[in-house]
Amino acid sequence: AVKKAGMRGVANANSSGFTWDFGMIPYEPMPFQWMKKYNELLKAKRDYGLSGMLENIHYGFFPSIITDIEKWKFFTPIKEDEAIIHDLINRDYGEENAELVESAFRDLSEAITHYVATNEDQYGPYRIGPAYPIWTDIYEGWPKTFPSHSKHAAHPLPGMAYSRYWEDLTIENSLIGIRIFDEMDESKIMLDLVNSALETLNKCTNPNDELLRLTNLVHYIRNCIVTTRNVKEHYINRQELTMCRTREKGEELICNMEEILKNELENVKDTIPLVQVDSRLGWEPSMEYVGDEK
């Protein structure tokens, strides 16, 4: 219809490096996946007369290798995709580290394709990261709110509590039992790929400040995935506990839940040095969420 009417459109593209996939980071370092998006936007310009973009709604803007890739992709003459990424890797991280960084970026770009964007996770642990609390009993003092600064940095929505969506089954929502185990399988693949990228980055010699900051960011993303998996595992065990038929099985499930909480405690401790290094981690610049050291 747009083509027939000769109209030109504007896309809400969110193409400057950040989405709600991980709500507490400055940008998503998945350049090969972002490049696919830029190519589709150019295709929309060619085929449908796309004339402008709303880059983001309230994510904020953070200069990064992703924003530079976007800039060069939309300039003319356009260089080849691989050349754009290769040149920027050399510029930012050093020629001596280019091969390793590119390998890490390929793992990260594959990893994000295994991200399952559910309400539960994008309003929950993926949005807030390792600062996300795990509640064992949702009914004590429900609805809960997140600890936050009295004037700023609010997490005001009870809906951010993980269980709210699981319990709120409507005709529009899918049965959680049908999908949660598939979500766990996909997040495991994603975690393995991010771990591989992190190991590769740690092999770089004589890293400069940009490379150290990138490695710190990837480590933080890795810990966000661990938190989300722990929240899901805890939920699965808690739900099974409500229906188990023997005391022995109940004790086994409670021990599982305790072990998950211990694992998440270690994950949180591992995250504190990361946010101490980079104050942009654990912060969202418009809604003022905070998942910082405190």
Side-chain angles (χ1 to χ4, degrees), residues 121 125 134 162 166 180-181 183-185 187-188 225-241 253 256-261 263:
D121 296 334
I134 301 178
Y162 206 63
W166 305 134
I180 190 170
F181 296 100
E183 292 169 14
M184 287 296 292
D185 291 343
S187 67
K188 179 60 167 61
I225 300 170
V226 171
T227 292
T228 302
R229 287 180 53 79
N230 281 336
V231 169
K232 285 180 179 291
E233 287 276 19
H234 185 272
Y235 173 81
I236 291 168
N237 280 270
R238 190 182 68 197
Q239 294 303 99
E240 290 182 3
L241 181 62
L253 291 165
N256 290 345
M257 293 167 69
E258 183 177 24
E259 191 64 27
I260 292 165
L261 293 173
N263 290 341

Side-chain angles (χ1 to χ4, degrees), residues 27 29 64-66 87-98 101-102 105 201 204-215:
Y27 67 96
S64 70
I65 190 172
I66 305 303
D87 289 349
L88 290 173
I89 288 174
N90 283 340
R91 182 198 72 181
D92 288 354
Y93 309 113
E95 293 184 12
E96 68 278 15
N97 295 312
V101 173
E102 181 172 331
F105 276 153
L201 291 172
C204 292
T205 57
N206 192 28
N208 59 23
D209 288 345
E210 287 292 332
L211 184 52
L212 289 171
R213 189 174 291 272
L214 172 65
T215 304

Side-chain angles (χ1 to χ4, degrees), residues 2 18 24-25 27 97 108 110 173 197 208-209 214-215 253 264:
V2 170
F18 184 40
M24 290 291 198
I25 62 176
Y27 67 96
N97 295 312
L108 292 167
E110 171 65 21
N173 293 344
N208 59 23
D209 288 345
L214 172 65
T215 304
L253 291 165
E264 181 58 17

Side-chain angles (χ1 to χ4, degrees), residues 16-180:
S16 60
F18 184 40
T19 74
W20 276 130
D21 294 338
F22 299 94
M24 290 291 198
I25 62 176
Y27 67 96
E28 296 176 37
M30 293 83 176
F32 294 97
Q33 190 66 10
W34 283 107
M35 187 67 81
K36 293 178 185 177
K37 183 165 193 171
Y38 303 147
N39 284 328
E40 288 300 312
L41 287 168
L42 289 171
K43 183 175 183 293
K45 174 179 173 59
R46 182 180 68 247
D47 295 348
Y48 303 112
L50 178 68
S51 60
M53 295 184 297
L54 173 62
E55 280 284 18
N56 55 61
I57 299 173
H58 56 74
Y59 302 123
F61 170 80
F62 194 93
S64 70
I65 190 172
I66 305 303
T67 55
D68 278 347
I69 290 171
E70 180 187 27
K71 178 182 72 174
W72 288 110
K73 188 63 182 175
F74 294 155
F75 272 20
T76 55
I78 297 176
K79 293 194 293 187
E80 293 295 323
D81 294 355
E82 297 283 332
I84 293 173
I85 296 175
H86 180 74
D87 289 349
L88 290 173
I89 288 174
N90 283 340
R91 182 198 72 181
D92 288 354
Y93 309 113
E95 293 184 12
E96 68 278 15
N97 295 312
E99 185 175 346
L100 288 171
V101 173
E102 181 172 331
S103 175
F105 276 153
R106 291 191 184 277
D107 278 343
L108 292 167
S109 298
E110 171 65 21
I112 198 64
T113 67
H114 297 278
Y115 181 103
V116 182
T118 65
N119 247 15
E120 294 88 349
D121 296 334
Q122 285 202 327
Y123 274 90
Y126 276 139
R127 176 171 292 202
I128 296 172
Y132 188 91
I134 301 178
W135 288 305
T136 298
D137 183 358
I138 67 167
Y139 298 106
E140 181 183 350
W142 184 256
K144 290 178 167 31
T145 56
F146 289 81
S148 62
H149 192 280
S150 59
K151 295 182 180 179
H152 302 288
H155 298 275
L157 302 177
M160 285 182 178
Y162 206 63
S163 301
R164 182 238 185 189
Y165 288 105
W166 305 134
E167 313 286 333
D168 184 24
L169 182 64
T170 65
I171 192 67
E172 292 86 9
N173 293 344
S174 56
L175 288 169
I176 189 59
I178 294 175
R179 60 184 172 86
I180 190 170

